[in-house]
Every structure is written in structure tokens, then in C-alpha cells.
Amino acid sequence: MVLVSLLAAVTLAVQSISALAIPPLEAPAVRREWTSLTLAARKEYINAVLCLNSKPSIIPAGQIPGALNRRDDFTAVHINQTFGVHLDAVFLGWHRNFLYLYETALRDECGYTGYQPYWDWSKSVNNISAYPLFDGSEYSIGGDGLYDPSTGAYDLGPYHFDHGAGGGCVTSGPFTQLELHLGPIPISALFTQTLPSNWTLRNNHCLRRDFNVPVAQRFSNGTAVAHLLDAPDIGEFQSRMSGVGNAPPGPHTAGHLQIGMDMFDVFSSPNDPAFFFHHSNVDRMWTIWQARDPQNRQFALNGTTVNYDPAGAPIADLYTEENWGVLGQPKPMLELMSNRMFDFNFVYEDMQA
């Protein structure tokens, strides 16, 4: 476990900024909570997602036959990178840029004029279906899945959760006709560190959800968020964010689990548009936590570049280079550590400077 010293980080940052001749920052973009948006703004976002879904994949022909459109590109890259960007030191930074690339695609390719909204988990803990992001209206990203009694329970280490009220295809909202082409991939692949040989092939299926209010109430409430933000160092913050080993699910894991089905597929979860709202709030948590003690937290890293930080895995540092395949250019971790440096210039609405 390694904590990068502030002095080394700042020296490297200054050298890099000087070399790149980065201009002074303009006013930052503001990412807003979904319920803060007007109905027109919500509709604009939904239409941009549908637009991205209609555009052809840019993955070279034959590499991933199941990637048919631009949304599939994001799912494919996430699947392909999963073993190196979860439950390790690069999880937060890698997903920060993944989210930024998706936001940029919505804006540059589909004319969206806003920025990626976030889902404040605390607003939906007692009734996910009543929260405007998931209420099934035309101004939402759809509701729960059709009830499927065959849906199994969820087991995470010593924790057992009954399935929720859905399990089948989403039947309300603007994404009822959304056809997914990649996944699902069994969670067992996470432990064998081996993807199924046929993961690149087309597998048409609907968007499925299984809302689970008990999970939300227990692991996404205000107390859980406060516990996360009270973490004394980056190692503990990472652990509390996801939950590892026999620890209870953290807010990150709980967000995926309470939506369920496609969102709970650790590999292909970007299939569900909810993924990007959830990870916008994950990034918001990291940004808030960093801002509480920037001197010690802005460039703090802890762990390796492999899931679960196994012994002998490469230790991550600010020079560690991450990549996003066809979605964007490789970047060192240094460029992913601040929401106001390098390519990033955004804030969240409740922490505007």
C-alpha cells in the first residue's frame, strides 16, 4: 500500500503543466442533480442518449462484433478493462475519465448542451420508483423491470439479499425499446480473471432492472454517505466506497445492486443508462472528499492496478498510464486526480466555488 507524497505529486504536476502550456482555467462546467434539471433539460439529455444509441460503433470491424452502436462502444471498453479498473488504486480515476468521455460524446456527437447529471442516492432510498430519474415517465430513464419470480437472490460474500420487485425487461419510460448487444457476463469471471470466450459476440436482450429498496435503505442512506466521506485516507475511502472482502457493500456497490440485473453486471453495467448517473455521484463523492483536505488528498493513491490488489501486482503511481481503447487517448494517473486540471474543468452544483 503506497501513499504518494504531496511534494512529488506537486513537482510532477508543475512540470507537466509547464510542458503542456495549459491555459488558465475558464469557468467550470456544472454537473447537476437530476431533480435540479427542468423537464426540458431532462428531455434533452434523454434524446442525446437515444442519439448516441443510433450512431454506429467506431470499434474496427471484426474486433467486437457485438458492438453495433456508440453506446455499445462504452460497454465494450468497460468489459475489456474491468479486471484492471475495479477494487484497486485506479478505479476512481479511470471512471472519472470514462464518464468525461461519455459526457463529451453526448455533447460533441449528439448536440447535448448540458453536462452529465448525477443521482443523489439519498433522494431515492425509500422509494426508487418514485424518484424522478426512475419513475417511468417520459422525463425519466425508465422504471423497474417487469416482475420475474425466477430472478435469483444476490450473494456478496457473507451478505445475502433477496431480489427486488422486478427482474425482467423495463416496461416504462423512453428506453423500453432499448436493445442491448453485449453481456451479461457472470460475476464468477471477476474471480477467475478470465472473460468468456464469446463475450465479443452479439447477444440481443432487453434492458432489465430489479429495484431493491432494502439495499438502498441500508447502504445508500445519509449515514452511509457520511461514513464514506469521513474516511481518513484514500485507502480507507476506496474500501468504504465499494466494500471489499467481508465488509458490507459500500455506496458504489449498493448503487449497482439496488438497480439490479444489467446494472449489477460488473462488466457490462454501462448498458444501463443509470450507470453514468451513478458514477457521476461516485465521482462527486471523491471530489468532495478530496476538497476537504486537498493538501493530502488531491494526489493520493493507494494500491495496485489489478482487482483486489493481489500480492505482486504493479503498484499504481502518478506515472501509471491508463487507457480507454477507442474512446480516447491514454492518460497518466496524474491527469485524472483533479476535476479542475488538464482536460477536466467541472464542479458539482452543491460545491461550486
Side-chain angles (χ1 to χ4, degrees):
M1 300 175 71
V2 174
L3 287 175
V4 178
S5 72
L6 177 66
L7 180 59
V10 171
T11 300
L12 179 57
V14 171
Q15 291 173 344
S16 299
I17 292 173
S18 299
L20 293 172
I22 293 178
L25 288 176
E26 299 176 354
V30 180
R31 291 179 176 171
R32 303 186 184 281
E33 212 279 333
W34 184 247
T35 57
S36 294
L37 301 182
T38 64
L39 294 182
R42 296 179 200 176
K43 194 70 170 178
E44 183 194 12
Y45 178 89
I46 292 164
N47 288 338
V49 174
L50 292 170
C51 163
L52 205 61
N53 201 68
S54 71
K55 291 186 174 294
S57 168
I58 61 173
I59 295 174
Q63 283 191 8
I64 302 181
L68 305 186
N69 59 52
R70 288 290 284 124
R71 287 192 69 254
D72 290 337
D73 290 348
F74 284 85
T75 301
V77 167
H78 192 269
I79 292 172
N80 201 37
Q81 297 283 341
T82 291
F83 296 134
V85 298
H86 294 86
L87 301 167
D88 57 21
V90 304
F91 164 73
L92 293 165
W94 190 90
H95 282 82
R96 173 172 280 174
N97 197 55
F98 187 68
L99 189 68
Y100 170 77
L101 292 168
Y102 185 78
E103 177 182 76
T104 300
L106 291 176
R107 289 172 56 81
D108 292 355
E109 300 176 39
C110 290
Y112 179 53
T113 60
Y115 299 92
Q116 176 60 48
Y118 63 91
W119 161 32
D120 181 346
W121 310 307
S122 67
K123 292 180 179 292
S124 59
V125 290
N126 293 318
N127 192 339
I128 300 170
S129 294
Y131 175 60
L133 184 64
F134 299 116
D135 66 9
S137 71
E138 64 178 302
Y139 300 105
S140 73
I141 61 170
D144 201 358
L146 190 67
Y147 180 67
D148 181 356
S150 69
T151 302
Y154 302 93
D155 290 297
L156 292 174
Y159 295 89
H160 175 88
F161 306 100
D162 293 331
H163 87 82
C169 298
V170 170
T171 59
S172 60
F175 299 122
T176 55
Q177 302 302 311
L178 196 64
E179 182 180 81
L180 309 181
H181 306 123
L182 294 168
I185 294 174
I187 195 170
S188 59
L190 189 63
F191 307 106
T192 63
Q193 296 284 290
T194 304
L195 286 169
S197 60
N198 63 348
W199 81 265
T200 64
L201 302 182
R202 181 173 179 175
N203 179 33
N204 294 355
H205 56 289
C206 65
L207 173 62
R208 300 165 302 150
R209 290 181 180 148
D210 184 29
F211 290 171
N212 197 312
V213 170
V215 168
Q217 291 176 325
R218 185 173 177 186
F219 301 110
S220 298
N221 58 40
T223 300
V225 170
H227 179 65
L228 170 67
L229 294 175
D230 283 343
D233 55 52
I234 187 61
E236 187 63 22
F237 181 81
Q238 291 170 176
S239 179
R240 294 183 186 185
M241 175 64 82
S242 292
V244 295
N246 291 327
H252 165 243
T253 301
H256 284 278
L257 178 57
Q258 69 188 266
I259 303 303
M261 305 310 291
D262 290 300
M263 254 292 273
F264 193 56
D265 184 331
V266 66
F267 297 90
S268 63
S269 48
N271 270 332
D272 191 327
F275 174 96
F276 298 95
F277 292 84
H278 176 47
H279 271 273
S280 187
N281 203 42
V282 168
D283 188 77
R284 172 173 163 260
M285 293 294 103
W286 186 29
T287 304
I288 292 171
W289 182 83
Q290 288 179 310
R292 290 185 175 183
D293 184 7
Q295 182 175 2
N296 293 302
R297 297 178 176 182
Q298 193 68 69
F299 297 99
L301 285 171
N302 185 79
T304 74
T305 61
V306 180
N307 292 1
Y308 298 107
D309 292 330
I315 298 296
D317 60 30
L318 295 177
Y319 296 95
T320 298
E321 187 173 88
E322 292 298 311
N323 77 83
W324 296 265
V326 299
L327 303 179
Q329 295 298 311
K331 293 180 178 179
M333 285 299 298
L334 170 68
E335 296 185 21
L336 312 175
M337 303 301 292
S338 171
N339 60 307
R340 300 294 306 277
M341 290 177 63
F342 297 97
D343 287 341
F344 305 142
N345 187 21
F346 64 87
V347 294
Y348 292 93
E349 67 173 339
D350 57 350
M351 56 180 302
Q352 295 183 56

